[in-house]
Amino acid sequence: MKFIFTSFLVFISPFLGAQNLCLTAEKTLERIATNESYRIEMQRLDSLSMSFKEGRISSESRDVKQYNIPVVVHVLYEYEENNISPEQIHAQIDALNRDFNWEQSDKDKIPGIWQGIGKESGFRFHLADKDPNGDFTTGITRTKTSIKGIGSTDFYYNKQRGGINPWPLPHYVNIWVCALEGNLLGFSYLPSNSVEPNDGIVIDPRAFGSIGTAQSPYNLGRTLVHEMGHYFGLRHPWGNEEGSCTDSDYMNDTPWQREANFGCKNFPTISCSSEPDGDMFVNFMDYSNDSCSLLFTKDQVNFMQLIIRTSKVTLLHSPAITGMGEESINSRIAIYPNPSSGVFQADFFEDNSTPFEVKDALGRTVQSGIIESGNKIDLTRFDDGMYFLVSSFGVQKLMLKKG
Ligand code: ZN
Ligand code: CA
């Protein structure tokens, strides 16, 4: 059976077996079957991918640019246990930023032949600090639901039916953390201009972040790294047609691969006559355990950069993140030391004073008043963690670490 995104004839795979961890390809086919404009969008993505593969589009950026990407995490839980902590969410965002920037500390586990194949993307993910109304947010929403396995239903993105509506797609990457049925870990929608409320990423809490509900072997935050790869246009290494050796992921620097690899494979693992090196089972877009899921290739990074500069470019013009440090805020206010063990010094670059609030990781106001340049903000009596200084200068993240 041949799956082609551009085909009018769409077959739904009968092989949604126990070993399917990611439902992106199936979700894509499902949406193509019912949505003509999405079908056209996927056709466009296919031809863009083909032009990239054939070298007709140069996507290599001249310098390492920082792409700041706003994220909102919608926690949707039936049981309190899945109402995951801010720390678990922050750990997941850290994992994304690590793996998208070639900062993995476990790179030594990559087989020698591929040690040099990765590349820093410059993608920096930030929890949004402005909600769609322009008000302060922690970048996390929390909703209790009574629907079992809501991530496997069409309700997760629908407030009326027990889910939570997405925030505007042009300005936020929406991530729903909610229960999925079976051993499915997650799915994402591929990039398009066909705006639908289900667009975004769904992850099961068992595979989200590295602490709390995250369970081995999917507890290094790499399910979201994989799904974020799809979100920026990457396919599985076997293409859409698992079991063949004829369908491409459009990346020239990933070898042909017959089917998904699970667990932790030994090098080399040969399929599709790919001797001597075999499958790149350490690729984030394969299904290996998190501990053996280790890299994006240069082509994959270049392609994602192409997508962020084209169909996802509105994310880079989002008003949703103001507290990033090096931009607007730091040109008007300096907070130091940060992290601090309790007392933060606030210096303004212009003579000024401003009302301020300090909010905790759950968005609750824990302190407020007026600050002037040279004042100190004392958080000594609070617990360690992330806080937000909200003032007319925007939002500044404060890290409190007493130890
Ligand atoms: Zn996938
Ligand atoms: Ca390839």
Side-chain angles (χ1 to χ4, degrees), residues 22 24 226-227 230 236 285 287:
C22 165
T24 297
H226 173 108
E227 298 306 338
H230 286 312
H236 294 136
M285 299 314 292
Y287 284 180

Side-chain angles (χ1 to χ4, degrees), residues 331-370:
S331 62
R332 300 177 66 192
I333 185 170
I335 301 281
Y336 60 90
N338 193 4
S340 160
S341 59
V343 178
F344 296 81
Q345 172 87 27
D347 286 349
F348 302 166
F349 297 122
E350 303 147 32
D351 258 355
N352 220 331
S353 67
T354 179
F356 78 99
E357 287 182 28
V358 175
K359 291 174 183 280
D360 68 10
L362 295 171
R364 299 174 299 209
T365 301
V366 294
Q367 206 176 100
S368 62
I370 306 277

Side-chain angles (χ1 to χ4, degrees), residues 194-371:
S194 162
V195 173
E196 296 291 331
N198 55 1
D199 220 301
I201 299 173
V202 176
I203 308 265
D204 191 282
R206 291 167 302 172
F208 189 85
S210 49
I211 56 174
T213 56
Q215 285 175 21
S216 177
Y218 306 111
N219 57 347
L220 296 176
R222 284 167 168 160
T223 299
L224 185 55
V225 172
H226 173 108
E227 298 306 338
M228 199 61 82
H230 286 312
Y231 190 86
F232 289 105
L234 302 185
R235 317 299 176 95
H236 294 136
W238 52 91
N240 299 314
E241 191 187 0
E242 196 165 9
S244 82
C245 282
T246 55
D247 202 22
S248 173
D249 63 352
Y250 302 105
M251 301 295 133
N252 290 318
D253 59 1
T254 61
W256 290 91
Q257 185 172 322
R258 185 183 303 280
E259 58 200 359
N261 289 299
F262 296 91
C264 283
K265 286 290 166 72
N266 291 318
F267 178 84
T269 294
I270 309 287
S271 74
C272 301
S273 319
S274 56
E275 293 93 346
D277 305 331
D279 292 1
M280 191 185 282
F281 51 84
V282 287
N283 197 285
F284 288 132
M285 299 314 292
D286 205 337
Y287 284 180
S288 295
N289 288 349
D290 276 12
S291 61
C292 294
S293 206
L294 297 161
L295 67 87
F296 287 126
T297 65
K298 290 190 174 65
D299 273 5
Q300 287 175 320
V301 168
N302 289 342
F303 190 73
M304 291 192 285
Q305 289 175 337
L306 176 66
I307 295 296
I308 190 92
R309 293 199 305 267
T310 54
S311 57
K312 291 289 182 193
V313 74
T314 53
L315 290 172
L316 304 180
H317 300 281
S318 172
I321 31 176
T322 62
M324 299 178 306
E326 53 283 309
E327 292 194 340
S328 56
I329 310 257
N330 267 6
S331 62
R332 300 177 66 192
I333 185 170
I335 301 281
Y336 60 90
N338 193 4
S340 160
S341 59
V343 178
F344 296 81
Q345 172 87 27
D347 286 349
F348 302 166
F349 297 122
E350 303 147 32
D351 258 355
N352 220 331
S353 67
T354 179
F356 78 99
E357 287 182 28
V358 175
K359 291 174 183 280
D360 68 10
L362 295 171
R364 299 174 299 209
T365 301
V366 294
Q367 206 176 100
S368 62
I370 306 277
I371 33 168

